[in-house]
Amino acid sequence: MHPAYSVILFTTASGAGYGLLALLGLVGFNHGPASSLWFGATALVIALGLITLGLLSSTFHLGRPERAWRAFSQWRSSWLSREGIASVVTFAPALVFAALWLGFIASPEWIGLAGLATAALCAVTVFCTAKIYSTLATIRQWYQPLTVPVYLAFALATGAALLMAIASIFGLYQVFQAGLAIIALALTLVLKVFYWRRIDTEQKTRTIEAATGLARAGEKVRQWEVPHTAENFIMKEMGFGVARKHAAKLRRIMIAFLLLAILVTAATILVPLLAIFLSIIAVLLSGAAAVVERWLFFAEAQHVVSLYYGAERA
Amino acid sequence: MTSLPTPRPNQKKLGLVIDLDTCVGCQACATSCKEWNTQGYSAPLNDSNPYGASPEGAWLNRIHGYEVKAPGEDQSRIVHFPRSCLHCEEPACVTVCPTGASYKRAEDGIVLVNPETCIGCKLCSWACPYGAREYDYDHGVMKKCTLCIDRIYNENFVEEDRIPACVKACPTGARHFGDLGDSESKVSRLVAERGGYDLLPEMGYKPVNKYLPPRQRRADEKMQLVQSEPVKRDGKAVMDDFFRWADRLLSR
């Protein structure tokens, strides 16, 4: 599948934003306006900024962005519609939570509930995003039980790294933030490696013979004539031209980024003095890993229509 | 509404039956489809750079060619394979649509895109296993086969012209249009007689369009040119010597 930059930016940026916002909701309920005003304000602005940036960039992928509001209507059947609704609905408890934290609403007893609601809706939104992909039976590499967990894990890991970095900058670094980031990063790595193992070892059951129905007596089918004289939309979008030749190398790069992020995060526990510097490195490493992973998620995905265009198996 | 309509009793299922035995790959269906649909529903059907070095554009019907070779046979067979929307009974392209622009008509099962409400997210094209939907880069919306909805119900046409443009254009009668929900219709009987089949049935989309397989060749039809020609001791055909002699003679 063609890796559209707008979709990669959307899913990684908003994923990190939702991860950070969810963690703020979960760990921030004992914070109040008195304790950490600037930390809260900065973290919330970064989280909501990343989410908004992601949502805006996703509209660049549309042919008719001015009609995007229509996407809120088909939640009964469409995961894309559900994602759109969830992403907007999340802003409501998030803004209440932010107002409570920053003291605009003087009812600190509600901050816990608002935080929990925000975290839950963040998880729901990322879940919906992943479901768009994991329910497409046409793409074997996406139609996998690990697709949704990997999306959630990346959001959590990149969010945890951000939380640690922002807290460090405001002098609020705590070992538990590093521990949380290490667990989330390690979980992400394990899930993704299992995901790759599964898509590599799973039998490719769909064949050009089955797709064309021309081989019921055991014949061999081969593409003889293409249905076009120039590239067409199906070829461009389903990405037959995309070089998958660097996939193995890029997988190793992503694994290396995540391992380094874990090491750097662990180093903050040993050398708390360098927490700011090290945690910013961890953010960059985990963010880069997320972008590489998301690019591969598209580039390695093979659509079943490729069988009609000459692929022997999918 | 992108939720699928509940099938009615005796649900009408308009669709095509494509005879892979008689299709000669002439592209008449593809070009007449393009010609009709660039002025019909959801028009225009844009091309980019149409007079340039590499013209490309949205087509709703494309003709593939496949070489089919049976095990142990030395001759293969070419099958021309038109591919367009199959107007599935369980079209995931419809249910994934976030806006309701993609829909399946309750009255005849035709799958359509409303060009006024499509946002061009392209998710429907990802959900279609058959590559039936093509994005119109100029218009910013998805295009697909309408089964010539603006012909088949067009009362300005005489009865015989109320069929899809591709069916009308086919010079070998390889394309048939009708109600596949009615087991007594001409197309349904054709499917039953000839063993018409679904594409990728295991995916569960339940396509309405059917394909008729190429007929088996009779044994005496198989060409045996190589064996039947008189062969000299040096392994060359007698006729080859004659043609070489004629070539020398005519080259003077």
Side-chain angles (χ1 to χ4, degrees):
Chain A
M1 300 295 292
H2 170 65
Y5 298 123
S6 56
V7 176
I8 291 175
L9 181 65
F10 159 56
T11 58
T12 53
S14 69
Y18 283 120
L20 174 59
L21 187 59
L23 288 172
L24 287 172
L26 288 178
V27 304
F29 58 80
N30 52 7
H31 289 264
S35 65
S36 48
L37 188 67
W38 287 108
F39 163 67
T42 310
L44 286 165
V45 165
I46 289 176
L48 292 171
L50 281 169
I51 292 168
T52 311
L53 173 78
L55 291 176
L56 284 179
S57 94
S58 76
T59 63
F60 293 131
H61 172 70
L62 303 178
R64 293 285 184 140
E66 77 279 9
R67 298 176 181 170
W69 59 272
R70 291 185 183 276
F72 300 126
S73 65
Q74 301 302 311
W75 49 271
R76 285 180 203 81
S77 70
S78 167
W79 282 105
L80 179 53
S81 184
R82 289 169 196 162
E83 181 208 31
I85 291 170
S87 67
V88 171
V89 168
T90 305
F91 277 97
L95 290 174
V96 172
F97 174 69
L100 285 164
W101 189 334
L102 304 179
F104 294 119
I105 303 174
S107 316
E109 68 274 17
W110 289 104
I111 196 167
L113 189 63
L116 276 177
T118 306
L121 278 167
C122 288
V124 167
T125 308
V126 176
F127 178 81
C128 290
T129 304
K131 272 297 213 185
I132 297 170
Y133 302 102
S134 76
T135 52
L136 288 175
T138 45
I139 300 161
R140 186 182 63 84
Q141 289 86 348
W142 293 356
Y143 195 63
Q144 295 286 342
L146 281 175
T147 299
V148 173
V150 166
Y151 263 76
L152 287 166
F154 259 103
L156 188 67
T158 46
L162 271 172
L163 178 71
M164 177 178 66
I166 300 165
S168 306
I169 290 167
F170 286 91
L172 296 168
Y173 172 79
Q174 289 171 339
V175 170
F176 102 90
Q177 294 158 355
L180 189 68
I182 289 171
I183 292 169
L185 288 162
L187 179 71
T188 307
L189 182 58
V190 169
L191 287 172
K192 192 66 199 183
V193 169
F194 273 110
Y195 166 87
W196 279 328
R197 181 176 293 176
R198 175 155 177 137
I199 64 167
D200 290 346
T201 54
E202 194 179 56
Q203 199 79 32
K204 290 184 172 185
T205 51
R206 295 182 181 133
T207 61
I208 185 171
E209 283 81 13
T212 56
L214 291 172
R216 273 160 307 162
E219 294 93 333
K220 187 92 195 88
V221 177
R222 192 178 67 87
Q223 177 172 253
W224 169 75
E225 188 176 38
V226 295
H228 47 80
T229 51
E231 262 205 331
N232 69 42
F233 164 73
I234 296 290
M235 301 169 72
K236 284 192 260 189
E237 186 73 2
M238 312 309 167
F240 306 115
V242 172
R244 296 186 181 115
K245 61 178 180 177
H246 297 309
K249 203 177 277 176
L250 283 168
R251 283 184 184 188
R252 287 199 291 276
I253 288 173
M254 193 223 76
I255 292 170
F257 281 170
L258 280 181
L259 283 173
L260 282 171
I262 292 170
L263 284 177
V264 171
T265 307
T268 62
I269 301 173
L270 301 174
V271 200
L273 272 178
L274 290 174
I276 296 179
F277 172 73
L278 291 171
S279 58
I280 290 174
I281 301 284
V283 166
L284 295 176
L285 284 167
S286 60
V291 171
V292 172
E293 184 271 340
R294 216 43 55 85
W295 191 87
L296 279 171
F297 181 73
F298 283 90
E300 291 193 296
Q302 190 192 5
H303 196 286
V304 67
V305 74
S306 61
L307 296 173
Y308 294 103
Y309 281 84
E312 286 183 9
R313 288 184 167 276
Chain B
M1 186 56 67
T2 57
S3 297
L4 298 175
T6 318
R8 305 167 178 184
N10 305 316
Q11 172 71 49
K12 198 171 181 184
K13 299 175 196 169
L14 292 184
L16 299 173
V17 173
I18 295 167
D19 190 344
L20 297 176
D21 193 69
T22 45
C23 175
V24 293
C26 70
Q27 312 278 337
C29 56
T31 46
S32 63
C33 166
K34 180 83 172 168
E35 186 269 344
W36 177 262
N37 284 295
T38 202
Q39 59 189 331
Y41 180 90
S42 196
L45 194 55
N46 284 313
D47 293 313
S48 59
N49 199 16
Y51 301 101
S54 184
E56 58 178 89
W59 291 68
L60 311 182
N61 181 20
R62 290 185 183 267
I63 323 302
H64 296 253
Y66 297 107
E67 179 190 23
V68 182
K69 198 166 182 186
E73 292 265 345
D74 53 349
Q75 292 164 21
S76 55
R77 175 170 189 165
I78 297 300
V79 177
H80 305 284
F81 192 95
R83 184 184 48 77
S84 58
C85 174
L86 308 170
H87 298 280
C88 301
E89 289 180 59
E90 299 281 342
C93 59
V94 168
T95 52
V96 300
C97 176
T99 67
S102 233
Y103 64 104
K104 184 168 176 72
R105 282 160 55 105
E107 59 269 44
D108 51 19
I110 295 178
V111 176
L112 284 180
V113 177
N114 181 348
E116 303 302 317
T117 55
C118 173
I119 59 173
C121 72
K122 312 176 193 79
L123 185 56
C124 55
S125 69
W126 295 2
C128 173
Y130 309 107
R133 291 171 171 243
E134 295 202 10
Y135 182 66
D136 186 328
Y137 288 92
D138 290 337
H139 202 173
V141 300
M142 196 56 73
K143 299 286 170 81
K144 70 175 294 300
C145 163
T146 67
L147 216 55
C148 284
I149 190 122
D150 40 10
R151 290 180 63 94
I152 60 177
Y153 294 115
N154 194 331
E155 289 176 5
N156 297 318
F157 283 11
V158 295
E159 187 73 38
E160 66 187 44
D161 279 345
R162 292 182 203 165
I163 53 174
C166 59
V167 177
K168 180 82 183 161
C170 181
T172 63
R175 301 177 74 92
H176 306 268
F177 165 69
D179 179 8
L180 286 142
D182 170 8
S183 59
E184 290 307 306
S185 68
K186 206 182 118 219
V187 281
S188 294
R189 286 203 305 268
L190 197 56
V191 170
E193 278 165 28
R194 293 275 308 280
Y197 65 93
D198 288 351
L199 299 186
L200 290 170
E202 68 275 17
M203 293 208 61
Y205 284 56
K206 294 195 205 157
V208 168
N209 284 13
K210 303 283 184 261
Y211 283 79
L212 304 180
R215 290 182 175 88
Q216 288 296 309
R217 277 193 198 135
R218 295 199 311 270
D220 59 321
E221 267 184 349
K222 293 181 182 168
M223 291 193 298
Q224 297 189 332
L225 283 177
V226 182
Q227 283 79 6
S228 62
E229 237 176 64
V231 176
K232 294 187 302 174
R233 202 174 287 169
D234 64 358
K236 288 184 180 142
V238 180
M239 286 305 280
D240 283 352
D241 282 348
F242 169 75
F243 283 124
R244 259 194 296 278
W245 172 78
D247 179 45
R248 278 200 304 274
L249 187 72
L250 294 168
S251 302
R252 278 180 192 165

